[in-house]
Amino acid sequence: MVPIHENAWGPMAAQKKSWLSHLYIQVLIAIGIGVALGYFAPDIGQKMKPLGDGFIKLIKMVIAPIIFCTVVSGIAHMGDMKSAGRLGVKSLFYFFCATTLALIIGLIVGTAGGAGNGMNIDVSSIDPSAVDSYLSAASATKSESFTEFLLNLIPKTFVGAFAEGNLLQVLVIAILFAWAMLSLGAKGKPILQGIDLVAQVFFKIIAIIMKLAPLGAFGAMAFTIGAYGVETLGNLLYFMVLFYVTCLAFVFVGLALLLKVTTGLSIWQLIKYIREEIFIVLGTCSSETVLPRILDKLEKLGVHKQVVGMVIPTGYSFNLDGSSIYFTMAVVFLAQATNTPLTWEQEVAILLTMLFTSKGAAAVVGSAFIVLTGTLSTLDIIPVVAVTIVLGIDRFMAEARAITNLIGNCVGTLVIGRWEKAIDLVHAKKVLSGAIEVHAASDPEDVILESHALDAASKKV
């Protein structure tokens, strides 16, 4: 059944919210103030960094337990591990196809666009000190074999994965926990009910934290503009524009066509539905900040709980479309900027290498730059120190990467839900068209569902 929640005062009547009370409006205003502060008072703007970092840390604090509860609940409601395994295989197949397409698009656009041509940068004149920390992080992961990668999926202790915030390790623990719980049969039902209640508590915590989203967006944007300034764009502006346009085309042509053909849903309406989350990502440069809200919103859109619980957490590690586009575009751009010719064999090597290294890019600020550095180190085609060229604009590229990653994972969940016949498309179309109004559980009002047709909303999904 689609739940109709009540707050402490009973059922809430449909009320018109003032435009200023919308979270995305508050975040957008905060971003504007942050840009102005960073531009006119850069020193003060840089001091706002703790606000953005603190907000991201608060969100990351509860992501691991939410992922655990969601995955366990999702698998348990499937009733057997065979169904979960089938869903997992389909998800990974979709992720592989989507990110491969994104990498190819980035390679083609980067080569055809020629954004780095004419820069004629001599890498011997570059001071590597600006990227020393990234080079160290990249070298630490360079020698990791596939066997070591698999072994690293196993946490040292049960609570270790939660303490470190390693989502892949949390995912492994959740799958094992759900499997064991299913084997208990009826005895496991009280445990499942307890996990569902714990999940509700964590979503309430998110409700409290999300009230600070405008403050976090303000701090992050004020620091970005204050530290790097708009003048850092310079000759790199064309590369930035090319990347943004490519991401827009990927979303509004590629993903839009895929969504329309498979589900009949509109990408425009989907983006409008998740606009608050998009603005939060825009301000914080991290799609992790909205992960709990996206889990909640996609479930209320009509996708079955088990599909949302499996696809979204996995997609945050394996389906980063925006990051994939950036990786191949950045490698080609650096080759052009340093006058390093690339043969078609080398381009194929770049593509194949990125197929694996891109899967390790977490959806947080700075991780994409580490992966890019590590990939260049692995390829040994372009001098690794060349990454310094894009260091100054990496923060500006992060917004497009994170937003494209977010939309790509939402589309992927809907497509896989349709593939699994685990989505109520009639309900989804009504929600996206506005016939049924859905609010995120982390909204201050705690309104879950307002419907213009409550009888239709109470039907089984």
Side-chain angles (χ1 to χ4, degrees):
M1 303 288 288
V2 177
I4 302 177
H5 291 228
E6 300 179 1
N7 69 355
W9 304 99
M12 291 188 66
Q15 298 176 0
K16 285 288 184 180
K17 297 166 65 177
S18 70
W19 65 274
L20 194 57
S21 66
H22 289 282
L23 183 62
Y24 72 94
I25 294 293
Q26 297 172 8
V27 171
L28 193 57
I29 293 173
I31 290 173
I33 296 174
V35 170
L37 179 63
Y39 181 77
F40 292 107
D43 292 338
I44 299 177
Q46 292 183 54
K47 294 178 181 179
M48 299 298 107
K49 187 175 186 291
L51 296 177
D53 292 346
F55 176 72
I56 293 175
K57 288 183 70 175
L58 282 170
I59 294 292
K60 288 174 68 68
M61 174 183 69
V62 294
I63 282 179
I66 284 179
I67 292 299
F68 174 80
C69 293
T70 304
V71 172
V72 169
S73 180
I75 294 176
H77 284 294
M78 284 184 181
D80 64 271
M81 288 302 298
K82 183 178 178 181
S83 299
R86 184 185 68 247
L87 176 59
V89 170
K90 287 183 178 181
S91 300
L92 291 176
F93 176 76
Y94 173 87
F95 297 157
F96 176 81
C97 293
T99 52
T100 300
L101 177 61
L103 288 168
I104 293 173
I105 290 174
L107 191 65
I108 294 173
V109 174
T111 303
N117 291 336
M119 295 184 72
N120 302 317
I121 294 177
D122 181 7
V123 291
S124 64
S125 64
I126 297 176
D127 179 11
S129 61
V131 291
D132 280 345
S133 60
Y134 295 101
L135 292 172
S136 299
S139 62
T141 59
K142 179 182 176 182
S143 60
E144 185 180 80
S145 65
F146 182 69
T147 302
E148 290 172 325
F149 169 77
L150 293 178
L151 288 175
N152 286 336
L153 292 178
I154 305 172
K156 295 179 181 178
T157 64
F158 187 91
V159 298
F162 296 89
E164 296 175 7
N166 190 318
L167 296 188
L168 288 179
Q169 291 182 353
V170 172
L171 196 61
V172 170
I173 292 175
I175 292 172
L176 290 174
F177 192 95
W179 194 351
M181 191 172 64
L182 282 173
S183 66
L184 293 176
K187 294 180 180 179
K189 288 185 178 180
I191 301 175
L192 177 58
Q193 293 173 351
I195 288 176
D196 287 338
L197 288 174
V198 171
Q200 290 182 33
V201 172
F202 279 109
F203 273 107
K204 286 292 185 181
I205 294 175
I206 287 293
I208 298 170
I209 296 174
M210 287 311 299
K211 295 178 181 180
L212 301 175
L215 191 63
F218 160 76
M221 192 57 67
F223 165 76
T224 299
I225 301 300
Y228 303 113
V230 293
E231 68 276 2
T232 59
L233 308 186
N235 293 331
L236 301 171
L237 180 61
Y238 175 45
F239 176 51
M240 289 185 57
V241 171
L242 191 63
F243 174 64
Y244 271 75
V245 170
T246 304
C247 288
L248 287 172
F250 182 81
V251 170
F252 290 107
V253 178
L255 293 181
L257 184 61
L258 175 64
L259 185 64
K260 193 69 176 178
V261 170
T262 56
T263 67
L265 302 176
S266 165
I267 192 73
W268 286 99
Q269 291 181 339
L270 175 63
I271 289 175
K272 182 181 178 182
Y273 178 65
I274 61 171
R275 62 186 181 275
E276 291 186 345
E277 290 70 30
I278 290 175
F279 280 117
I280 293 171
V281 171
L282 176 65
T284 61
C285 300
S286 171
S287 55
E288 278 199 343
T289 55
V290 297
L291 191 152
R293 289 172 60 95
I294 286 297
L295 290 170
D296 181 62
K297 273 198 165 182
L298 288 176
E299 187 179 340
K300 292 181 175 66
L301 187 58
V303 186
H304 286 196
K305 184 182 184 71
Q306 53 266 39
V307 174
V308 176
M310 283 288 288
V311 177
I312 286 294
T314 312
Y316 262 60
S317 291
F318 291 96
N319 188 41
L320 304 178
D321 299 330
S323 298
S324 298
I325 293 172
Y326 171 75
F327 290 143
T328 45
M329 283 190 69
V331 170
V332 172
F333 171 76
L334 293 176
Q336 295 167 346
T338 58
N339 295 318
T340 304
L342 294 176
T343 64
W344 70 267
E345 292 94 342
Q346 289 174 324
E347 291 185 345
V348 171
I350 291 171
L351 183 62
L352 293 176
T353 302
M354 287 293 186
L355 279 174
F356 295 97
T357 57
S358 63
K359 302 302 180 288
V364 293
V365 182
S367 58
F369 194 81
I370 294 174
V371 171
L372 176 61
T373 306
T375 302
L376 291 182
S377 180
T378 301
L379 289 169
D380 199 24
I381 297 173
I382 303 167
V384 181
V385 72
V387 296
T388 308
I389 300 170
V390 295
L391 177 60
I393 63 168
D394 184 72
R395 183 83 184 201
F396 294 98
M397 309 289 261
E399 288 99 342
R401 287 197 302 257
I403 291 173
T404 306
N405 292 341
L406 173 66
I407 298 173
N409 278 311
C410 289
V411 171
T413 304
L414 294 172
V415 171
I416 295 170
R418 180 70 178 88
W419 195 357
E420 278 283 288
K421 297 180 181 179
I423 178 174
D424 185 343
L425 289 176
V426 174
H427 176 76
K429 289 177 181 178
K430 287 182 179 180
V431 170
L432 294 183
S433 66
I436 298 177
E437 187 177 352
V438 174
H439 300 280
S442 50
D443 278 354
E445 295 87 352
D446 190 31
V447 181
I448 304 301
L449 179 64
E450 291 180 25
S451 174
H452 299 296
L454 288 178
D455 56 326
S458 61
K459 292 180 181 179
K460 268 192 174 182
V461 174

